[in-house]
């Protein structure tokens, strides 16, 4: 059983009498410990797919199954509880609560889960140390660089030991050196902790850290790269 | 507890912003409490004498709407009331006004007072704190309210001179202060009590020196023996005695000219202040919430429930109100200690409790707009999508 499975999911947006099939019968599965890069042109449905996988959107057809359970059957509250427990999320922006320190932002995930115990705190500190933030624990987000903020978000996405980690363009606002740093550590932690990770990115170079590259176009998978050679070549040439 | 944590941490890290709202609530608390105290104080100043009267019923001339100056009663009706079953004692009360101009023959600062004529030992006659009660129904004796005693520094036994206009002339009368009483204010002025016959001679009137035949006073205080319910006695009096209307002292002072207007003006003012609290607190937190839309979307996306966020908002509002209230209460307490006497402010536990409860009740009302905003924020927006 895969950690995550999307089975022929479709999502149709309707706005002003225009229908956009943002995700079109897409099937995808990700194993625990696997890090997948989701790429594709703007408007190809990457973010929509992420929202479907997180249960933030429900598909018009198909289903998302995580750890053997279909998200379609969970209600709104059930989905929130599911996200809280099973999903680690990083966003492009507004990742952190501005009035909480770095440590508090990470611990918030444990607090929300009702799991803020000694081990949890220790795990938070360890993660932040691995992410090179051990000297920033008591800083507020406004006192951090963009890359540091993304790293805090990564710590928060992992601290509650979720089965799925979803990252929406984690490097979009970073320079290339920081982007490499952040993606490398994200990949490393996903591998080490055995999470199923999916990262949406526009930057082919970041795909070097992925185990698989899935390319979307018009809501459909048009290309999948799995071997190290293919991935390395793609990362170099785009 | 997640909510409380978020609420308190946000306040702690944004002290300045919240201190401003705390202060607003504190100032509003002061305003609300002072308005309440003023209401009670003014009520007391108009009603103190009637409220403290040793009588369960008052007799008025009928059709005067319980206006004391308009009511005119005489001995015959007083006696008729006395004979109604259930009545223990009756006392005539005449109310007018006078100005004190001298103490022991030495001119003093002029002080206006209510001049109340009563029958010694009858209902309406004031209890004394010091000195002696009125005893002789003809003597030029007076029992004087403590406020006047303090203002003029009157010793018991002093002679006060009253100035009264009778006919076209200004008349002066001397009275000997035999005792001091308290709680006698009526129409905002403390009273001088004199025996009714003396009162009839010195009250302002058309001719100098009294009404001649029958003494006319204003109302009758009626004490009951308890054998018959007071409502029954009142009805019976109205049946047996012509042109008399009975009521209880509370109804009577509530009917005093301007009493209701004054109280309802003050209640209206308090109501407005509470509306202002709701609007200020409501808009402050609504603006805060609007500024936090992205953050709230993110929290919901990572799995925080709407109730966690709403709970944090409610905690913040209640904390704001509690802190503001405490500061306001402390300030009111300090101000009350520092107030000079004679200001009509009365802080009663009941009114303070009501004021506190209504300020706290403003919280949930104020929260409604922001709660709605929070509930409407989509977690999807954390990904830059909308449904
Ligand atoms: N609320 C909406 N209503 C209508 N159409 C929408 C809505 N949200 C997204 N779409 C459309 O759905 C398609 C997929 O959008 P999505 O944001 O998932 O793409 P994306 O691959 O993440 O693009 P980008 O790389 O620009 O972030 C786009 O054509 C977009 O215009
Ligand atoms: Mg996108």
């Amino acid at each position: 059983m895969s950690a995550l499975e999307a089975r022929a999911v479709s999502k149709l947006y309707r706005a002003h009498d225009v229908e956009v099939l943002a995700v079109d019968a897409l099937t995808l599965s990700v194993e625990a410990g696997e890090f997948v890069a989701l790429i594709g042109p703007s408007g190809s449905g990457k973010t929509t797919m992420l929202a479907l996988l997180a249960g933030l959107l429900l598909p018009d057809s198909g289903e998302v199954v995580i750890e053997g359970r279909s998200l379609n059957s969970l209600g709104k509250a059930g989905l929130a509880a599911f996200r809280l427990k099973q999903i680690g999320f990083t966003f492009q922006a507004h990742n952190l609560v501005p009035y909480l320190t770095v440590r508090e932002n990470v611990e918030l995930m444990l607090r929300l889960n009702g799991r803020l115990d000694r081990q949890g705190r220790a795990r938070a500190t360890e993660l932040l140390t691995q992410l090179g933030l051990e000297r920033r624990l008591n800083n507020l987000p406004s006192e951090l660089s963009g890359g540091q903020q993304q790293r805090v978000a990564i710590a928060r996405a992992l601290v509650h030991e979720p089965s799925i980690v979803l990252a929406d363009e984690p490097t979009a606002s970073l320079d290339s050196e920081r982007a490499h740093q952040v993606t490398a550590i994200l990949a490393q932690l996903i591998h080490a902790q055995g999470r199923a990770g999916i990262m949406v990115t526009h930057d082919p170079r970041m795909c070097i850290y992925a185990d698989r590259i899935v390319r979307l176009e018009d809501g459909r998978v048009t290309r999948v790269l799995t071997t190290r050679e293919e991935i390395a070549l793609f990362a170099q040439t785009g | 507890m997640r909510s409380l944590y978020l609420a308190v941490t946000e306040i702690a890290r944004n002290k300045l912003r919240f201190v401003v709202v705390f202060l607003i609530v504190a100032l509003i608390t002061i305003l609300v409490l002072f308005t309440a105290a003023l209401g009670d104080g003014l009520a007391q100043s108009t009603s103190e004498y009637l409220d403290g009267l040793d009588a369960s019923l008052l007799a008025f001339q009928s059709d005067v709407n319980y206006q004391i100056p308009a009511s005119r009663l005489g001995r015959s009706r007083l006696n008729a009331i006395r004979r109604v079953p259930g009545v223990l004692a009756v006392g005539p009360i005449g109310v007018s006004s006078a100005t004190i101009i001298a103490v022991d023959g030495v001119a003093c600062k002029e002080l206006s007072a209510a001049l109340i004529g009563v029958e010694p030992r009858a209902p309406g006659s004031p209890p004394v704190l010091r000195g002696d009660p009125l005893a002789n129904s003809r003597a030029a004796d007076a029992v004087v309210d403590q406020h006047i005693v303090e203002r003029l520094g009157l010793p018991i036994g002093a002679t006060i001179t009253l100035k009264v206009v009778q006919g076209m002339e200004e008349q002066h009368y001397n009275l000997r202060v035999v005792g001091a009483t308290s709680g006698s204010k009526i129409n905002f002025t403390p009273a001088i009590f004199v025996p009714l016959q003396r009162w009839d001679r010195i009250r302002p009137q058309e001719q100098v020196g009294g009404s001649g035949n029958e003494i006319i006073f204003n109302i009758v205080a009626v004490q009951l023996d308890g054998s018959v319910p007071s409502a029954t006695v009142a009805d019976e009096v109205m049946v047996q005695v012509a042109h008399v209307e009975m009521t209880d002292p509370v109804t009577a002072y509530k009917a005093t000219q301007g009493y209701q207007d004054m109280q309802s003006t003050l209640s209206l003012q308090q109501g407005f202040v509470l509306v202002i609290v709701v609007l200020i607190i409501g808009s402050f937190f609504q603006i805060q919430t609007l500024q936090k839309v992205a953050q709230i979307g993110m929290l919901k996306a990572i799995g925080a429930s709407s109730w966690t966020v709403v709970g944090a908002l409610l905690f913040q509002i209640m904390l704001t109100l509690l802190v503001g209230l405490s500061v306001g209460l402390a300030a009111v307490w300090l101000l009350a200690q520092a107030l000079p006497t004679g200001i009509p402010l009365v802080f009663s536990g009941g009114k303070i409790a009501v004021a506190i409860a209504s300020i706290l009740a403003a919280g949930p009302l104020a929260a409604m707009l922001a709660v709605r905003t929070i509930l409407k924020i989509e977690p999807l927006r954390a990904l830059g999508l909308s449904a």
Side-chain angles (χ1 to χ4, degrees), chain A residues 86-176:
Chain A
Q86 299 287 0
I87 296 211
F89 237 136
T90 79
F91 308 101
Q92 227 174 306
H94 303 296
N95 265 301
L96 305 177
V97 178
Y99 53 83
L100 298 181
T101 63
V102 164
R103 183 203 294 278
E104 288 165 345
N105 261 289
V106 175
E107 289 179 351
L108 178 64
M109 203 60 208
L110 297 171
R111 236 178 235 285
L112 292 172
N113 266 297
R115 284 178 57 196
L116 184 59
D117 49 19
R118 190 200 296 235
Q119 288 133 295
R121 284 178 209 271
R123 207 161 49 243
T125 311
E126 192 195 321
L127 270 169
L128 286 165
T129 306
Q130 286 175 296
L131 287 156
L133 291 164
E134 68 278 8
R135 287 171 46 206
R136 291 280 179 224
L137 298 180
N138 298 315
N139 284 91
L140 291 172
S142 58
E143 299 160 350
L144 303 181
S145 71
Q148 288 170 328
Q149 290 185 29
Q150 273 298 339
R151 282 183 275 158
V152 177
I154 289 171
R156 190 197 52 208
L158 291 164
V159 71
H160 57 306
E161 305 176 303
S163 44
I164 317 293
V165 175
L166 303 174
D168 191 23
E169 306 195 27
T171 61
S173 58
L174 306 181
D175 62 44
S176 115

Side-chain angles (χ1 to χ4, degrees), chain A residues 43 45-48 92 168-169 200 202, chain B residues 383 385:
Chain A
K46 305 181 296 293
T47 302
T48 303
Q92 227 174 306
D168 191 23
E169 306 195 27
V200 168
H202 273 117
Chain B
L383 289 170
L385 291 175

Side-chain angles (χ1 to χ4, degrees), chain A residues 13 47 51 56-57 80 83-84 89 91 94-101 104 108-109 111-112 156 168, chain B residues 2 5-6 9-10 13-14 292 294-295 298-304 308 379-380 382-383 385-387:
Chain A
Y13 289 114
T47 302
L56 289 173
L57 275 179
R83 281 199 300 279
L84 199 52
F89 237 136
F91 308 101
H94 303 296
N95 265 301
L96 305 177
V97 178
Y99 53 83
L100 298 181
T101 63
E104 288 165 345
L108 178 64
M109 203 60 208
R111 236 178 235 285
L112 292 172
R156 190 197 52 208
D168 191 23
Chain B
R2 307 154 194 181
Y5 166 78
L6 290 173
T9 315
E10 184 171 19
R13 304 256 159 88
N14 293 282
K292 293 195 294 186
Q295 179 196 322
M298 179 277 291
L299 284 172
K300 287 187 177 189
I302 64 174
T308 301
L380 262 184
L383 289 170
L385 291 175
S386 64

Side-chain angles (χ1 to χ4, degrees), chain B residues 225-286:
Chain B
D225 60 17
S227 63
V228 185
S230 116
T232 315
V233 178
D235 290 344
E236 195 55 31
V237 169
M238 290 189 273
V239 170
Q240 291 190 15
V241 187
H243 306 302
V244 163
E245 209 165 332
M246 302 294 286
T247 188
D248 58 286
V250 175
T251 312
Y253 71 67
K254 287 195 170 160
T256 307
Q257 204 92 61
Y259 181 94
Q260 294 297 3
D261 297 341
M262 182 178 73
Q263 293 299 321
S264 51
T265 305
L266 288 171
S267 314
L268 190 69
Q269 191 175 330
Q270 278 198 309
F272 272 127
V273 172
L274 287 170
V275 170
I276 292 171
V277 182
V278 171
L279 292 179
I280 290 179
I281 301 293
S283 45
F284 175 81
F285 283 97
Q286 168 68 352

Side-chain angles (χ1 to χ4, degrees), chain B residues 294-325:
Chain B
Q295 179 196 322
I296 292 168
M298 179 277 291
L299 284 172
K300 287 187 177 189
I302 64 174
S305 71
S306 285
W307 299 114
T308 301
V309 184
V310 167
L313 169 81
L314 293 179
F315 272 124
Q316 280 187 346
I317 291 182
M318 285 336 256
L319 280 171
T320 301
L321 291 176
L322 280 173
V323 172
L325 264 173

